Amino acid sequence: MGNWIINHGLTYFILVVWMAINIFLFVWFFNLYNTENKFFYTRHILGTALSWARAPAAVLNFNCMLILLPVCRNLLSLVRGSFMCCGRTMRKQLDKNISFHKLVAYMIALMTAVHVIAHLVNAERYYNSRHGLDDELSTVLSSLGDTSNSTYLNPIRSLHITPTLLVFTSIAGLTGVVITLALILMITSSMEVIRRSYFEVFWYTHHLFIVFFAGLVFHGAGRIVRGMTTLDYDVDECKDDVDKWGETEECPIPQFAGGFPQTWMWVIGPMVIYLCERLLRFVRYLQTVKYRKIVIRPSKVLELQLVKNGFKMDVGQYVFLNCPAISQLEWHPFTMTSAPEEDFFSVHIRSAGDWTQKLISLVEQLPEGAQGPKMAVDGPFGTASEDVFDYEVAMLVGAGIGVTPFASVLKSIWYKFKDSNPKLRTRKIYFYWLCRETHAFEWFADLLQVLERETEERGMGKFLTYKLFLTGWDQSHANHVMVHADQETDVITGLKQKTNYGRPNWDKEFEQVRSENPTSVVGTFLCGPAVLATVLAKKCVKYTDVDPRKTKFYFNQENF
Amino acid sequence: MGKIEWAMWANEQALASGLILLTGGIVAVAGQFRDWQFAAYAIAAGVFVCLLEYPRGKRNKGTSVERTGQYCFTVCVKSFGPLTRNYYVRAFVHAAICVPGGFLLATVLGCVCLGIASLIYLAAAIRGEHWEPILPAKDSARQPVGESIKCPPQNPPPRPPAETRRKRVDDLEGAAYVNPIPVTANE
């Protein structure tokens, strides 16, 4: 239990607070509309469906406010910066931005369903009472019209208006249908299958959020839910004497008015922030980026070394690249592989899809010495691995293409070593590299080789321990290895450290780290698939000691 | 990433529409709304659409992820042959199914969603996509270990060529290589 609190405590605390606010809003507004005198007559026609529509609306306001915040990357970077003093546990929460975005979206979907169903019932009940199918009081209330001495309550003003007609002729109804449709399309196109495999479909459809927010702001403008404005009105006394309304002092004809629309007040702040984000991105789109070097590595990996004025990066951060020659609208994230100490920044781009393929062929056709195609850079944006130097011991796990952020980390460590940077708190680094085949990552092996030589020359060979795990290998491979078994360097990578075959036995690895560092705080950093993340998160909990003097493992994950 | 398969999105959209149509239908029937007969139809239509769309089709490229327990649905849907295979048919069926939903407010949303799904299916069909069932691979990649594992190895393990083999330094006599055939100089 103690371990669990150390690793996940704050995350769940935040979730509990969020859920508590949701529940509070729901219950509060449900009660408000269910008990308040002001809505007595409205409630008489609509029943509890009124509360069932209004309570989700309040929760929706709150969640629509929240949903834009986790995707404001510059805002998150800003917050991360201001949390520098407050410890890493707080900052780590910011890496779960997309999970939170999804959670809020699920809540919006659920509340929309309740809200829509409740309003379907409301429309039907208004229709019935307008046609005199309910009791006398309802009929009288529904037939009140906008005259010199009365105001209407029932939005169905004439007898030939059906519920469908009501919805498609009122602001609330029309915007409601449009934004619900936008929401449904956004949800169906962001399912895992679509998002992972056909990113463009997801990316473009998700921009329906503009329609969604525009509709949302105007949704309440029709003021269709009306409450009584007559003060000092005793409903209990007057509700039974409908015929005498307006004749006595105590029971005047009740007056009604719509509530002031509130949604825009909730969402306007995040909308402005998000607009600023997009403006910032546009400004960055216009800034010039120069190529320092373009290298096409064997095995179709493109290395771009770029220079941009005023660009300042940190370890393990990523940038969004936009190449107008390929698509003016698409921004693709890439992890930077250069160290902050270098005077340029670099990305390694592997041919993985349409966009990367087009970029590589564009670059290949360039004449010798020419500048590359125009490139716009947005970023840098921070993720967990800038915290690597804050931990005494760092366990870095890179799987497949997930080694890229660690290229930056390792390079930066190399530079910090050279300068004997006092900021380097790290005493020891364990690096695990899991991949199916190494030949796509030759460039990374090169980097490791340089690093290995460097640390050895300085007599600090113990500082970096790295282990390579090759998960895809066959018999001929094994034969080859056996033949060269007694050579000093590994046959595949040319490194001193021999490659392991198969997947790592994590229990063994964690046990080893713990026994070698009995009193340290260990940061575990993963860049790789979600399955591995679950495994590692569990191991971190398992091997963390509640005793504050003993080894502690903190789990961090990079998102792609 | 490759070519976009629109049918995958159409499938998600149609399944969602089926559920929305079903929910709308249930609400209207339970509330005995005016013209609730349309809602009764919507319940039937929603169930039908969900059953038809639940089994996800196979992707042209890459791994296809099944929905939980879709296997028996896959078999049922597959048994209709070209009717369920062809996306033009699906686009038409959905377009036809959604029309009566438009007459009742509660089912309007489901109707419009299904209409959109039908359009996406039409786009998929025009681009030449069709539904393929995801069936478990017949020959799994890993063969069960044969009986031969209990027998001693038939072939010697791979060894480096003789000249590169390391000589045992502490026992020079023993490490010396004796040629099985006497070697004489070629005359």
Side-chain angles (χ1 to χ4, degrees), chain A residues 31-44 50 54 126 141 153 223 225-235 254-262:
Chain A
N31 258 327
L32 186 86
Y33 282 92
N34 218 15
T35 52
E36 190 129 309
N37 220 10
K38 190 180 165 185
F39 296 106
F40 182 86
Y41 285 130
T42 322
R43 217 158 44 228
H44 183 80
L50 172 70
R54 296 310 300 158
Y126 270 140
L141 285 170
L153 168 63
R223 305 191 180 194
V225 177
R226 297 171 76 90
M228 192 161 57
T229 51
T230 319
L231 300 167
D232 306 326
Y233 187 90
D234 192 352
V235 260
Q255 304 293 318
F256 298 95
F260 183 69
Q262 291 179 338

Side-chain angles (χ1 to χ4, degrees), chain A residues 384-499:
Chain A
S385 45
E386 65 189 34
D387 298 347
V388 169
F389 308 121
D390 292 352
Y391 292 91
E392 264 179 82
V393 178
M395 253 176 111
L396 314 177
V397 183
I401 188 73
V403 292
T404 37
F406 299 126
S408 172
V409 172
L410 294 174
K411 258 192 195 175
S412 178
I413 287 170
W414 176 36
Y415 280 108
K416 287 198 167 71
F417 248 179
K418 273 183 163 173
D419 315 338
S420 322
N421 191 327
K423 263 192 191 163
L424 193 66
R425 203 184 293 173
T426 320
R427 288 189 297 100
K428 196 152 173 52
I429 285 188
Y430 295 86
F431 178 60
Y432 302 87
W433 181 13
L434 286 67
C435 60
R436 207 169 286 152
E437 36 100 39
T438 47
H439 89 246
F441 304 106
E442 282 152 350
W443 58 272
F444 195 78
D446 289 349
L447 173 84
L448 274 180
Q449 261 180 28
V450 173
L451 208 67
E452 185 174 58
R453 228 180 305 131
E454 199 80 7
T455 47
E456 227 159 65
E457 276 170 17
R458 287 167 185 261
M460 301 199 63
K462 280 274 169 62
F463 181 77
L464 174 70
T465 308
Y466 59 87
K467 291 189 178 175
L468 273 55
F469 293 88
L470 203 62
T471 49
W473 53 282
D474 55 15
Q475 193 54 45
S476 74
H477 208 126
N479 294 348
H480 188 59
V481 173
M482 271 186 258
V483 169
H484 297 281
D486 34 354
Q487 279 178 14
E488 186 138 317
T489 53
D490 191 63
V491 279
I492 298 162
T493 54
L495 293 166
K496 295 252 166 62
Q497 178 70 48
K498 292 293 166 66
T499 306

Side-chain angles (χ1 to χ4, degrees), chain B residues 13 17 43 66 76 146 185:
Chain B
Q13 177 69 21
S17 321
I43 292 180
E66 288 184 62
C76 298

Side-chain angles (χ1 to χ4, degrees), chain A residues 117 120-121 124 127 162 164 167 180-181 184-185 188-189 191 193-194 197-201 352-354 479 486, chain B residues 1-6 8-9 12-13 16 20 23 27 33-34 56 59 105-106 108-109 112-113 116 158 166:
Chain A
I117 290 174
L120 287 177
V121 176
E124 192 70 18
Y127 178 86
T162 60
T164 316
V167 162
T180 312
L181 274 178
I184 292 167
L185 283 172
T188 57
S189 65
M191 291 289 131
V193 189
I194 314 289
S197 320
Y198 318 107
F199 185 79
E200 290 95 337
V201 175
D354 286 350
N479 294 348
D486 34 354
Chain B
M1 208 161 279
K3 207 174 126 220
I4 293 168
E5 288 177 62
W6 291 97
M8 290 292 143
W9 182 26
E12 299 285 343
Q13 177 69 21
I20 293 164
T23 317
V27 169
F33 287 6
R34 204 172 61 104
R56 195 178 272 152
R59 285 173 54 195
L105 180 62
V108 159
L109 207 55
V112 179
C113 284
I116 294 173
R166 188 188 284 182

